[in-house]
Amino acid sequence: MKTVDIKKSLIRVLGIPVLILMIPFIAMQFTDKVNWGSEDFIVIAVLLVAVTASIELVMKKAGKYRFGAIAVIVLGALWLWAELAVGLFTNWGS
């Protein structure tokens, strides 16, 4: 029974980022306005896998603080994404 849960978790942790990364990949085929390099895909893939794995762990372990923990994870990921993309508060993305 445990291996089924592990397989489902692994599919979610890896599948969701792949589906999200398909959006810019497909957009690059149709427009020049989306111009991602391989390093962009790698960085965002690592970020998305870390977020989905963290959320998966929180869903199993966090109890009544589940919503707050997920909110912190998502907001932290959005902040890091904005910093890497345009350097909203720092110059990481510049």
Side-chain angles (χ1 to χ4, degrees):
M1 199 66 172
K2 277 277 196 202
T3 55
V4 173
D5 292 340
I6 292 171
K7 286 181 183 180
K8 285 182 181 180
S9 293
L10 190 60
I11 289 170
R12 281 191 295 264
V13 166
L14 296 177
I16 292 171
V18 167
L19 290 174
I20 293 171
L21 286 171
M22 291 302 292
I23 296 168
F25 180 75
I26 292 171
M28 285 175 55
Q29 310 307 312
F30 297 106
T31 182
D32 292 335
K33 293 183 180 188
V34 180
N35 187 16
W36 283 29
S38 59
E39 65 279 351
D40 296 321
F41 281 100
I42 291 168
V43 168
I44 296 303
V46 169
L47 178 64
L48 289 172
V49 168
V51 168
T52 54
S54 299
I55 290 173
E56 189 74 23
L57 182 65
V58 165
M59 292 295 288
K60 291 181 180 178
K61 304 280 184 186
K64 68 180 183 178
Y65 299 110
R66 184 179 301 171
F67 179 75
I70 291 173
V72 167
I73 292 167
V74 170
L75 289 174
L78 289 173
W79 171 79
L80 182 58
W81 172 62
E83 285 297 326
L84 292 173
V86 295
L88 194 58
F89 300 108
T90 65
N91 62 356
W92 293 351
S94 303

